[in-house]
Amino acid sequence: MELPGTLAEADWEVHRPAVFGAAYRILGSVAEAEDVTQEVWLRAMAADLAQVRDLRAWLVTVAARTSYNVLQSARVRRESYVGPWLPEPLLTGPDAAAPVLLDESVSTAMLVVMERLTPAERVALVLHDVFDFPFAHIAEVLSVTPAACRKLASRARARVAAVRERPQASRAETERVLKAFKAAADAGDMARLVELLNPEGVYVADGGGRATAARRPVRGAEPIALLAIRQIEIRRPDAFAIIEVNGQPALATYCGGKLIWLDTVEITDGRISELRRLVNPEKLARIGHI
């Protein structure tokens, strides 16, 4: 029997996805979000919750405040990150994620833009736009005034507007383009790759200093096509799969059963306008091998 004021395990399981979802959106890291979720659980177990009217709001608030502290303490480490930064991928889909993790706010493109916001802007945006918290409540999390919170959210919203307003390719089209890109790269078909890439497309790779990757974005269809062919020649992958991460199809590429890189794309008018390749083994670890 649960004691009055304690957190029932069943209640925790109901609200855990929201706790993790808040932390992941703010941090862009599965590992850090899992650590925050565990800390929230421990704090909730030790707290007297008898007077808490809205348990979900209380738990998400603790998650947001903890995530905010993590961001502030990790700022130097993130600023010194080797090469471009991409979010740690989150397996999604009906069997892998709760509905709270299946909206556009967890898309890779959105999390990339979120990384450019200040910690306070990220917390304000997530709590207000995703979890519908009033600014007076968010102000308590950030130790600022409600008016300041409103400004933080407004600035953040303006910076992510381009992602929210961008036309989204269908799942079927994204899978088709990913498979065509893979086939052309495997065949060394330069002409076909150029056809699949936007002339002003950009390639971003995240190796984090732990795997070989371009440390600056590569721009233009031909340079990206050449790079894609060269990487196939060097790594000689032998298997691939279309999986769902962050609510979108992604191309997982393997060698000897080991996941060696993960591609996500943005598609404009049927062509790849942005190709993001994650090769950092630490961030790939939770996706798993075959």
Side-chain angles (χ1 to χ4, degrees):
M1 178 180 295
E2 299 292 338
L3 297 176
T6 62
L7 178 65
E9 185 173 349
D11 289 336
W12 169 249
E13 290 304 319
V14 168
H15 298 301
R16 185 186 185 284
V19 172
F20 176 84
Y24 180 68
R25 287 174 174 90
I26 294 169
L27 297 167
S29 165
V30 174
E32 290 178 334
E34 288 178 344
D35 288 344
V36 167
T37 301
Q38 179 66 15
E39 184 169 341
V40 173
W41 159 254
L42 293 174
R43 290 186 61 182
M45 290 298 291
D48 181 359
L49 303 176
Q51 303 305 314
V52 173
R53 295 182 179 180
D54 187 337
L55 180 59
R56 181 178 186 270
W58 188 91
L59 292 168
V60 169
T61 298
V62 176
R65 186 176 290 116
T66 305
S67 298
Y68 181 55
N69 292 337
V70 170
L71 275 183
Q72 290 181 307
S73 64
R75 185 175 299 176
V76 173
R77 173 169 54 81
R78 290 191 177 219
E79 288 177 352
S80 62
Y81 193 82
V82 178
W85 177 94
L86 292 174
E88 185 178 350
L90 175 68
L91 281 171
T92 52
D95 298 326
V100 73
L101 297 174
L102 295 178
D103 61 42
E104 56 85 27
S105 66
V106 296
S107 72
T108 303
M110 180 65 75
L111 292 174
V112 167
V113 176
M114 289 281 287
E115 180 69 8
R116 301 169 190 159
L117 305 180
T118 67
E121 287 172 342
R122 290 158 78 165
V123 171
L125 184 68
V126 169
L127 289 184
H128 185 267
D129 286 21
V130 178
F131 291 93
D132 200 29
F133 279 26
F135 287 117
H137 186 98
I138 302 170
E140 296 176 6
V141 176
L142 297 175
S143 299
V144 298
T145 66
C149 273
R150 190 179 298 274
K151 290 181 180 179
L152 287 169
S154 179
R155 285 201 302 266
R157 201 174 295 119
R159 297 188 69 177
V160 304
V163 174
R164 287 178 168 171
E165 296 168 3
R166 181 186 303 161
Q168 294 294 313
S170 68
R171 179 179 303 275
E173 182 180 23
T174 301
E175 290 191 13
R176 177 187 63 79
V177 172
L178 282 171
K179 290 176 180 178
F181 181 86
K182 173 65 175 173
D186 284 349
D189 190 340
M190 180 75 177
R192 177 60 176 148
L193 284 172
V194 171
E195 286 180 359
L196 290 167
L197 290 158
N198 186 295
E200 298 180 356
V202 59
Y203 166 93
V204 177
D206 177 347
R210 293 174 172 80
T212 301
R215 296 195 177 185
R216 291 186 177 86
V218 176
R219 301 182 183 277
E222 290 192 3
I224 296 172
L226 285 170
L227 181 60
I229 292 172
R230 182 59 176 158
Q231 289 177 336
I232 292 293
E233 293 173 342
I234 293 172
R235 299 301 301 273
R236 297 188 179 280
D238 52 28
F240 79 96
I242 299 294
I243 63 175
E244 183 181 308
V245 297
N246 298 83
Q248 299 171 320
L251 179 66
T253 300
Y254 305 86
C255 184
K258 181 180 179 181
L259 179 62
I260 56 175
W261 65 66
L262 183 73
D263 292 338
T264 56
V265 295
E266 297 300 319
I267 297 173
T268 305
D269 298 326
R271 307 174 86 174
I272 298 172
S273 53
E274 183 167 353
L275 171 62
R276 297 176 293 259
R277 177 160 292 179
L278 182 62
V279 295
N280 185 335
E282 289 189 355
K283 293 183 179 181
L284 294 175
R286 284 174 175 75
I287 300 298
H289 307 308
I290 58 174

